[in-house]
RNA sequence: AGCUCCGUAGCUCAGGGGAUAGAGCGACCGCCUCCUAAGCGGUAGGUCGCAGGUUCGAAUCCUGCCGGGGCUGCCA
């Protein structure tokens, strides 16, 4: 039940009827007609812009349309008043019992309230994290992980069939570096002093991997040339890293549906296939690239390369898929990977990338556009950097200085719930300050506690009411304006879900929950001044039961919203 | 130089064609014999970076400029 959508339908029906009666010209486009909550609550419960939008195409005065529409709307039992206001708004005030039925509906629907059929079962692939398997996940990855996971949950709630996917970059030079680094730790495990050359990964997290390697291979790899052990060590080390990353993700509460391997694309003809597919569309050619604009590298030499004509699909320059020595660039397996996703039949693709990869968005979009003949939309969500702070001071993160902050550090200090919620209190394209001191504080500075506190208060009331043997009812008693305001907020939930899902913006859920909690706390405090508004009414079980229905509906929505964000709704605050 | 994101209250940020632009923090004034004050109410605080354009209507869309972050051939 989405009241805004329902009333919009009512408006559209009446506009159609007016057309039928000749009160409006034929063939008008009603798609811009909106029914929305007004900015100012004094204007009513919802407003429609129908008259203003239609005035010009209908060649009529907005007020004339609005005045003709108003009595038709008030004929519906749900609409109490419809007033023309401002430049032509039609402000609607709904019948008071609408809010009561809404609460009943929410309690009946429970966790399904707000679930939408927006996606209509379309399949969406959300690729996120995709951190290189060369070390533990650090804070920079956390935001992308949380964002991708919450977006996936949001889309599922909005009726999409969602696949969460991680692309393992295990095919490039960096996994060779990993293997060499682990090999040194393997030597160390044998009592030899490791030679961590410049360019190798120095982190301690590889020490146990070296030991495990010794467990498996004994001393059989010692004093052997790289060609002898590189492939085995690489596979061993990559698997160890992926096990670590999976554990990190699990700690954050992220579970992937599919792990795709870059390495698995090599030597199987899949890259060749993908490139051939592009070639068959006339998008592959041998050519020279212009030097980059602006600062030209000193050692620039024009070289003939195999290029992808990405400019035919919106990119700024064509991109090399093959190096001048004939080997693939990193871009080639990316093409094959996205070709694979297209062929698996997804209706939509989403790539969640760090903002530092922003330069790749256009070429990947070009790939998907070319390989799907423009059929499959790809949305690239860029995640801005996380600025680590401590007491308002920037907190530098450096591998060398040993202040390398891992996902594990963050989750162990702040907890998964706090980490997830805070990471979602910014738009993905805005930088985020993550202040350890502030986040550990259990106060109003911390939005997670604010929302959870509201939920905990409701659960507390509910526990008390059950102890008192109350017979709950789904029929609420809504008297006060603070209660009406809260109910209206609940009415916005389905609409908000659709807006957030449409825009791929899970942060809207977090902000909504904050507002909902705020309305709830306001009502709660009103009970301090006006005891008759308290949920639990001494000696009046029937009234108590009716008063509790509204907060129960609030807890249903908070719980659903937090569920989308992957945050546990607290039963109590300790 | 190009591409891209950002510029809204002292600070951190929502809003992203509609009416008088919002929240939190900070400041100031109030509210606990009470379902958890981890809360609530109020006051003060704004040329929505600048200039044009589109529109009945622009913080929102377009163009240009200014300022800041990120990226910018054969690394991933």
């Amino acid at each position: 039940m989405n009241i805004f959508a329902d009333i919009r339908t009512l408006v559209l029906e009446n506009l159609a009827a007016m057309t039928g009666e000749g009160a409006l010209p034929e063939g008008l486009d009603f798609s811009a007609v909106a029914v929305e909550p007004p900015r100012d609550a004094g204007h009513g419960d919802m407003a429609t812009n129908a008259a203003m939008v239609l005035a010009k195409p209908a060649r009529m005065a907005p007020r004339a349309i609005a005045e003709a529409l108003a009595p038709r709307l008030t004929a519906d039992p749900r609409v109490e008043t419809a007033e023309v206001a401002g430049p032509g708004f039609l402000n609607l005030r709904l019948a008071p019992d609408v809010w009561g039925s809404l609460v009943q509906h929410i309690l009946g629907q429970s966790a399904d309230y707000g679930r939408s059929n927006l996606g209509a079962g379309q399949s969406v692939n959300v690729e996120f994290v995709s951190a290189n398997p060369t070390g533990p996940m650090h804070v920079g990855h956390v935001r992308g992980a949380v964002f991708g996971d919450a977006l996936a949950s949001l889309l599922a709630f909005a009726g999409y069939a969602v696949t969460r996917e991680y692309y393992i970059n295990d095919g490039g030079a960096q996994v060779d570096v990993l293997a060499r680094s682990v090999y040194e730790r393997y030597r160390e495990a044998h009592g030899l002093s490791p030679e961590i050359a410049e360019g190798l990964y120095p982190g301690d997290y590889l020490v146990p991997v070296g030991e495990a390697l010794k467990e498996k291979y004994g001393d059989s790899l010692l004093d052997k040339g790289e060609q002898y052990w590189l492939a085995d060590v690489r596979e061993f080390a990559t698997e160890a890293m992926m096990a670590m990353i999976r554990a990190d993700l699990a700690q954050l509460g992220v579970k992937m549906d599919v792990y795709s391997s870059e390495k698995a694309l090599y030597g199987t003809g899949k890259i060749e296939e993908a490139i051939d597919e592009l070639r068959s569309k006339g998008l592959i050619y041998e050519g020279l690239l212009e030097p980059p604009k602006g600062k030209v590298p000193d050692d620039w030499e024009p070289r003939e390369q195999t290029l992808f004509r990405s400019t035919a699909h919106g990119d700024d320059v064509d991109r090399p898929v093959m190096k001048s020595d004939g080997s693939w660039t990193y871009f080639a397996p990316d093409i094959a990977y996205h070709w694979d996703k297209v062929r698996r039949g997804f209706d939509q693709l989403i790539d969640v990338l760090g903002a530092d990869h922003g330069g790749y968005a256009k070429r990947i979009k070009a790939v998907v556009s070319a390989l799907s003949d423009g059929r499959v939309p790809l949305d690239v969500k860029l995640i801005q950097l996380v600025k680590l702070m401590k007491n308002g001071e920037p907190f530098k993160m450096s591998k060398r200085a040993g202040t390398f902050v891992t996902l594990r550090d963050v989750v162990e200090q702040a907890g998964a719930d706090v980490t997830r919620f805070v990471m979602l209190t910014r738009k993905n394209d805005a930088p985020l300050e993550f202040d350890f001191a502030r986040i550990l504080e259990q106060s109003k500075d911390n939005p997670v506690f604010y929302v959870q506190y509201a939920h905990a208060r409701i659960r507390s009331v509910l526990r008390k009411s059950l102890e008192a043997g109350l017979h709950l009812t789904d029929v609420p008693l809504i008297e006060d304006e603070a209660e009406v305001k809260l109910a209206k907020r609940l009415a916005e939930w389905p609409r908000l879900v659709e807006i957030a899902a449409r825009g791929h913006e899970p942060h809207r859920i977090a902000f909504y929950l904050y507002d909902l909690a705020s309305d709830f706390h306001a009502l709660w405090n009103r009970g301090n001044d006006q005891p008759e508004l308290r949920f639990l009414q001494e000696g009046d079980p029937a009234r108590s039961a009716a008063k509790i229905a509204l907060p129960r509906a609030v807890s249903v929505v908070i719980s659903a919203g937090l569920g989308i964000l992957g945050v546990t709704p607290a039963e109590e605050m300790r």
Side-chain angles (χ1 to χ4, degrees):
Chain A
M1 175 172 174
N2 180 340
I3 295 185
F4 295 93
D6 293 350
I7 299 298
R8 178 168 188 265
T9 303
L10 177 69
V11 169
L12 294 185
E13 283 168 0
N14 280 286
L15 290 173
M18 285 166 72
T19 308
E21 294 165 14
L24 282 175
E26 298 279 338
L28 289 182
D29 178 10
F30 296 151
S31 60
V33 172
V35 173
E36 295 173 327
R39 202 198 309 256
D40 185 342
H43 291 144
D45 299 326
M46 43 187 70
T48 179
N49 61 357
M52 290 181 292
V53 172
L54 298 178
K56 195 173 179 187
R59 290 201 213 138
M60 295 170 68
R63 292 194 76 92
I65 301 177
E67 276 159 15
L69 182 58
R72 310 187 68 114
L73 297 182
T74 48
D76 188 281
R78 289 167 296 179
V79 182
E80 198 163 78
T81 64
E83 289 170 6
V84 185
F89 284 105
L90 202 44
N91 288 333
L92 309 181
R93 207 170 292 278
L94 300 189
D97 64 343
V98 167
W99 311 118
S101 349
L102 172 76
V103 169
Q104 281 185 66
H105 173 79
I106 295 172
L107 292 173
Q109 292 278 293
S110 191
D112 286 330
Y113 172 63
R115 203 174 272 283
S116 162
N117 195 33
L118 181 72
Q122 278 191 65
S123 59
V124 187
N125 181 290
V126 184
E127 184 212 323
F128 61 112
V129 188
S130 298
N132 287 343
T134 55
M137 291 180 58
H138 58 78
V139 265
H141 298 119
V142 177
R143 192 175 177 192
V146 170
F147 175 89
D149 192 48
L151 174 57
S153 298
L154 170 61
L155 291 174
F157 196 67
Y160 292 88
V162 181
T163 300
R164 291 170 165 83
E165 186 150 333
Y166 185 123
Y167 178 57
I168 310 171
N169 286 116
D170 54 1
Q174 81 281 0
V175 285
D176 289 343
V177 174
L178 172 72
R180 292 183 191 110
S181 309
V182 166
Y183 184 77
E184 291 305 321
R185 295 303 186 179
Y186 164 77
R187 292 182 64 248
E188 185 179 24
H190 279 93
L192 302 164
S193 59
E195 293 161 23
I196 313 287
E198 185 69 29
L200 293 190
Y201 301 123
D204 291 343
Y205 60 88
L206 294 178
V207 171
V209 184
E211 281 162 4
L213 196 61
K214 178 186 165 192
E215 283 293 307
K216 182 170 181 190
Y217 287 94
D219 58 6
S220 66
L221 306 180
L222 283 178
D223 303 321
K224 297 270 180 27
E226 185 176 293
Q227 71 284 0
Y228 180 81
W229 50 260
L230 187 66
D232 287 345
V233 174
R234 188 170 53 208
E235 187 175 342
F236 186 89
T238 307
E239 271 173 26
M241 292 301 103
M242 283 312 297
M244 193 165 67
I245 287 171
R246 277 174 222 251
D248 283 354
L249 287 173
Q251 212 185 11
L252 242 198
V254 176
K255 194 170 176 299
M256 297 287 174
D257 299 309
V258 177
Y259 286 86
S260 283
S261 159
E262 176 193 357
K263 196 179 68 183
L265 297 167
Y266 287 100
T268 55
K270 291 198 172 173
I271 295 177
E272 291 77 1
E273 249 177 63
I275 302 299
D276 281 348
E277 182 67 21
L278 289 176
R279 198 186 310 274
S280 74
K281 296 174 189 293
L283 296 171
I284 297 290
Y285 67 102
E286 304 296 318
L288 296 174
L289 274 183
E290 295 286 310
K293 300 275 182 343
K295 50 162 193 182
V296 178
D298 301 337
D299 57 347
W300 174 269
E301 282 177 47
R303 288 195 183 146
E304 179 133 314
Q305 289 177 279
T306 305
L307 301 172
F308 164 45
R309 198 182 302 283
S310 54
T311 48
H313 288 268
D315 202 356
D316 305 309
V317 288
D318 292 339
R319 307 291 178 175
V321 297
M322 206 178 254
K323 302 178 199 171
S324 47
D325 68 1
S327 62
W328 298 118
T329 62
Y330 70 89
F331 185 42
D334 256 5
I335 294 173
Y337 174 51
H338 282 83
W339 174 223
D340 179 62
K341 286 200 277 195
V342 167
R343 280 205 293 187
R344 278 190 274 153
F346 292 106
D347 298 311
Q348 275 188 56
L349 301 181
I350 298 173
D351 283 6
V352 178
L353 302 178
D356 53 339
H357 289 66
Y360 301 102
K362 281 194 178 184
R363 75 190 68 171
I364 295 174
K365 279 188 183 180
V367 165
V368 172
S369 167
L371 290 175
S372 72
D373 296 314
R375 211 182 57 250
V376 179
L378 164 67
D379 188 14
V380 176
K381 301 299 278 188
L382 296 179
I383 307 298
Q384 280 293 336
L385 302 180
V386 176
K387 275 189 277 184
L388 271 191
M389 309 287 278
K390 213 164 196 171
N391 287 315
E393 295 292 313
F395 183 77
K396 285 248 173 72
M397 190 173 73
S398 146
K399 275 189 192 180
R400 255 180 242 146
T403 53
F404 177 70
V405 179
T406 62
L407 175 148
R408 195 161 290 258
D409 294 336
V410 174
V411 174
E412 278 171 4
Q413 277 201 54
D417 285 340
V418 174
T419 306
R420 291 185 67 119
F421 197 97
V422 170
M423 291 279 177
L424 290 166
T425 52
R426 290 286 174 275
K427 283 187 295 198
N428 59 287
D429 47 17
L432 174 98
E433 281 190 14
F434 193 88
D435 191 316
F436 274 103
R438 187 163 294 184
I439 272 148
L440 295 175
E441 214 174 291
Q442 303 198 351
S443 75
K444 59 211 163 203
D445 276 13
N446 189 333
V448 199
F449 284 89
Y450 188 79
V451 173
Q452 291 201 319
Y453 185 36
H455 188 263
R457 276 180 154 172
I458 296 168
R459 300 301 295 179
S460 162
V461 168
L462 214 51
R463 280 193 300 273
K464 288 203 161 113
S465 66
L466 292 177
E467 281 165 22
L470 233 57
H471 265 295
L472 296 180
T473 169
D474 287 356
V475 183
L477 183 57
I478 295 179
E479 308 160 298
D480 188 70
E481 60 180 324
E483 290 170 321
V484 174
K485 191 177 179 206
L486 189 52
K488 285 184 193 172
R489 186 75 72 181
L490 293 174
E492 286 177 33
W493 172 238
R495 182 172 174 274
L496 189 278
V497 166
E498 293 198 349
I499 291 172
R502 228 188 291 272
H504 299 165
E505 296 170 324
H507 74 275
R508 287 180 188 271
I509 305 290
F511 282 97
Y512 170 82
L513 291 177
Y514 188 90
D515 290 341
L516 177 60
S518 174
D519 290 337
F520 171 77
H521 287 308
L523 173 60
W524 178 286
N525 265 81
R526 236 161 135 86
N528 284 339
D529 302 332
Q530 304 172 48
E532 71 277 11
L533 290 178
R534 294 180 186 177
F535 306 128
L536 294 176
Q537 297 290 326
E538 190 90 19
D540 193 343
R543 183 176 166 86
S544 300
K547 275 292 172 200
I548 291 169
L550 176 61
R552 276 167 59 217
V554 172
S555 77
V556 163
V557 172
I558 291 182
S559 178
L562 288 178
I564 290 171
L565 305 185
V567 176
T568 322
E571 289 297 313
E572 56 182 358
M573 306 300 279
R574 285 291 169 223

